[in-house]
Amino acid sequence: MSENVTAMPRIGDKAPEFKAVTTQGPINFPQDYSGSWVILFSHPADFTPVCTSEFMTFATLESKFAEANCKLVGLSVDGLYSHIAWLRTIKEKIEYKGMKDVEVKFPLIEDITMEVANKYGMIQPGEATTKAVRAVFFIDPKGIIRAIIYYPLSTGRNFDEIYRALIAMQTADAFSVATPADWQPGDDVIVPTAGSCGVAKNRMEGKEGADIKCYDWFFCTKPIAKETVLKTVLNK
Ligand code: BEZ
């Protein structure tokens, strides 16, 4: 690895610390977010169309993420005045897919030195050397990185998936389970693999927990009602 390249943070790492200037004032990350989930995401550039569609979507969904105890923080390598002008343009001029008068209330970090972007591996030179890729870091209330998604410059993010992944991780934590492919609240969850053949056999024979269903010894599920998930993770 060359001297200028920082190791990219990985799932399970502590979120790298930084202080930054944002459209909502200075932040001390991740300390300021202790006790909340936070999605730290980067976009390539202000005043670009894909990023505009993403910011309008994220701003529209901000309260939904807040209900799940999750705050949003954006970043690009543009300066503060560019951020402010772009967000004002979005609010005053852009109407897109039924979204209009959209105010971005979450902080957008200015990172003209690329210090934060480099710390988080958001500059991926094969894609662009002067812009951040579309990175999404899910950071838990203890400041641990729990998931990372990267998209190229050309591809806008899927916000249903970002929200789904957040709720899935919160559900996994709250109920000590895992979630299968395409899981949504109300779908069956995966129970930890049985530690011994006896337990697995009991499960296969339906003797352990009437609601547990086993597809084989290593693959057992159980239902958790949607209301239970929502009450636990969303307090609803
Ligand atoms: C966009 O947000 O539209 C965009 C930004 C950088 C490169 C390509 C597209």
Side-chain angles (χ1 to χ4, degrees), residues 6-223:
T6 324
M8 286 170 65
R10 293 176 292 196
I11 290 175
D13 289 352
K14 273 178 67 112
E17 296 178 358
F18 62 85
K19 291 191 168 99
V21 170
T22 84
T23 49
Q24 303 291 324
I27 59 170
N28 184 11
F29 196 92
Q31 286 87 337
D32 287 352
Y33 295 87
S34 174
S36 292
W37 284 77
V38 53
I39 292 178
L40 173 66
F41 68 100
S42 55
H43 70 277
D46 299 346
F47 291 101
T48 53
V50 178
C51 303
T52 299
S53 70
E54 292 186 318
F55 262 69
M56 293 182 79
T57 308
F58 240 155
T60 304
L61 294 173
E62 188 183 6
S63 57
K64 188 171 166 179
F65 281 91
E67 282 177 3
N69 187 31
C70 181
K71 296 181 174 157
L72 308 175
V73 180
L75 174 149
S76 81
V77 303
D78 298 293
L80 186 63
Y81 295 106
S82 166
H83 286 344
I84 291 168
W86 179 47
L87 299 188
R88 187 184 301 144
T89 303
I90 287 176
K91 178 164 167 48
E92 292 176 358
K93 295 201 181 146
I94 312 281
E95 182 171 349
Y96 175 70
K97 285 199 165 175
M99 298 179 282
K100 66 173 185 180
D101 194 24
V102 173
E103 191 171 348
V104 175
K105 295 182 183 147
F106 57 80
L108 173 50
I109 294 169
E110 81 153 7
D111 190 30
I112 40 183
T113 62
M114 299 195 194
E115 187 188 329
V116 181
N118 277 317
K119 257 189 183 171
Y120 274 81
M122 292 164 170
I123 305 295
Q124 304 198 358
E127 179 72 346
T129 51
T130 57
K131 295 173 172 47
V133 296
R134 300 180 198 280
V136 185
F137 285 83
F138 298 76
I139 297 164
D140 75 13
K142 292 184 176 146
I144 302 298
I145 295 171
R146 298 290 299 276
I148 307 170
I149 311 177
Y150 293 111
Y151 297 75
L153 304 191
S154 60
T155 306
R157 286 164 268 220
N158 182 313
F159 292 85
D160 288 340
E161 170 55 11
I162 292 171
Y163 183 74
R164 190 200 71 85
L166 173 72
I167 300 299
M169 284 181 268
Q170 294 180 344
T171 300
D173 288 357
F175 297 96
S176 300
V177 295
T179 53
D182 295 333
W183 178 86
Q184 295 284 351
D187 293 349
D188 288 357
V189 297
I190 293 176
V191 294
T193 303
S196 77
C197 294
V199 175
K201 188 166 173 287
N202 282 344
R203 282 187 174 168
M204 290 297 287
E205 291 169 0
K207 289 179 192 153
E208 189 196 296
D211 58 352
I212 292 182
K213 178 173 180 182
C214 289
Y215 298 87
D216 205 326
W217 62 268
F218 60 90
F219 184 3
C220 297
T221 64
K222 70 172 182 185

